[in-house]
Amino acid sequence: YMNIAFPLPGGNLNSILHLSRYRDGLALSTRWSAKPGGQQGVYLSRGKFPLRLPLDETIWIWSDDAGRVVACHDMWLCGLRYVRLDYEITPTTPG
């Protein structure tokens, strides 16, 4: 698992992602289907009892034939995808 925490007044927003292989890369996901019965998810943490929010995200990461690192990041609210972000990291030549 990977835990990402965002500080908020009076608590934290935590995204706990399950890590798995995806084709020739990796997948990081908070979705139940990533590992049924797992603890992945997006939580609002205030005190001792975290609250699982109706938010999910999955990030797929791989490298392409040109040597770039490519990622696709989907986010859901109440089971409906509301945004998809595509990333590309290209190596630079020493200048």
Side-chain angles (χ1 to χ4, degrees), residues 58-72:
T58 299
I59 306 165
W60 295 277
I61 306 163
W62 67 96
S63 62
D64 66 9
D65 294 334
R68 296 176 294 207
V69 175
V70 182
C72 179

Side-chain angles (χ1 to χ4, degrees), residues 6 9 18 21 24 29 31-32 37 39-40 49-50 54 66 71-72 75-77 80 88 93:
F6 301 96
H18 179 263
R21 291 181 187 260
D24 291 332
S29 185
R31 298 192 85 180
W32 178 260
Q39 296 181 3
Q40 66 273 10
F49 303 103
C72 179
M75 289 177 255
W76 293 269
L77 174 62
L80 300 172
E88 181 179 295
T93 56

Side-chain angles (χ1 to χ4, degrees), residues 66 89-95:
I89 301 171
T90 306
T92 60
T93 56

Side-chain angles (χ1 to χ4, degrees), residues 4 17 26-29 57-61 71-74 87:
I4 301 169
L17 300 127
L26 299 172
L28 297 153
S29 185
E57 63 181 321
T58 299
I59 306 165
W60 295 277
I61 306 163
C72 179
H73 186 174
D74 284 338
Y87 305 98

